[in-house]
Amino acid sequence: MRREDNVYVLDHPLVQHKLTYIRDKNTGSKEFRELVDEVAMLLTYEVTRNLPLEEVSIETPVAMAKSKVLAGKKIGLVPILRAGLGMVNGLLRLVPTAKVGHIGLYRDPETLSPVEYYAKLPSDVAERLLLVLDPMLATGGSAVAAIDYLKSQGATSIKLVCLIAAPEGIATVHKSHPEVEIYTAAIDSHLNAHAYIVPGLGDAGDRLFGTK
Ligand code: PRP
Ligand code: URA
């Protein structure tokens, strides 16, 4: 894993291999969904690397033993609708007790600004480590709007998990929320005139759900 300025790039071979097929325009929705799910699960491994542990005493069939269990803040997952939904199950497979909040945002195609249409969060966001999920960090407008909203609801501990990030989006998130760590499988070249990530993967929501 490479780390720079609060951005963690998961350059693990399995992640990079799967990401290639996610990007490929010939990959259909079924395989796309499966691959996003698998990469989200692999990303979870690094996102949770520094979770605190505490020692407990247990009895194995052979002897008493000291062993470790997770301690500290509980986890909340917050997918940004729609495309963030494609990452939820991958994370839940490794963190099955996480609660899941939802934030509905879409990018206005004219202004490219995020428009909020839905929000439902667990009641105790202030006590949780929140993982905001969205495959695409393009201009960063959606991520910043989601993080703004979570902070307005009392959240203090937030990480952003995506598949592909544009340099522009990383800069925007860090300008507004410098303490938020960003985990991504790739940092791409730039945004095109429609604010799509180049080379990217196209429209993540459409490819996940087969809409166009
Ligand atoms: C996409 C994507 C992000 C957003 C990223 O969502 O899933 O939420 O764009 O762009 P930004 O960084 O420039 O804000 P979209 O608006 O297409 O909605 P959808 O997930 O419902 O398709
Ligand atoms: N949203 C997407 O789904 N893809 C992009 O490249 C940019 C925003």
Side-chain angles (χ1 to χ4, degrees), residues 63-78:
M64 293 298 296
K66 298 246 185 259
S67 199
K68 291 185 174 144
V69 293
L70 290 171
K73 284 180 190 291
K74 292 186 177 145
I75 293 179
L77 308 180
V78 187

Side-chain angles (χ1 to χ4, degrees), residues 76-82 84-86 88 92 99-105 116-122 125 131-133 146 149-150:
L77 308 180
V78 187
I80 300 180
L81 307 181
R82 291 175 300 165
L85 288 175
V88 172
L92 280 179
K99 289 196 174 169
V100 183
H102 295 86
I103 296 180
L105 292 170
E116 187 183 316
Y117 61 88
Y118 184 78
K120 180 79 182 171
L121 300 176
V125 283
L131 305 180
V132 176
L133 311 180
Y149 177 72
L150 292 174

Side-chain angles (χ1 to χ4, degrees), residues 83 107 136-139 191 194-198 200-206:
R107 277 197 329 183
M136 309 306 278
L137 177 60
T139 65
L191 299 177
H194 305 287
Y196 272 78
I197 300 177
V198 181
L201 54 72
D203 189 304
D206 283 345

Side-chain angles (χ1 to χ4, degrees), residues 51-68:
L51 290 185
L53 293 168
E54 67 186 6
E55 205 168 67
V56 294
S57 297
I58 52 157
E59 192 173 358
T60 78
V62 178
M64 293 298 296
K66 298 246 185 259
S67 199
K68 291 185 174 144

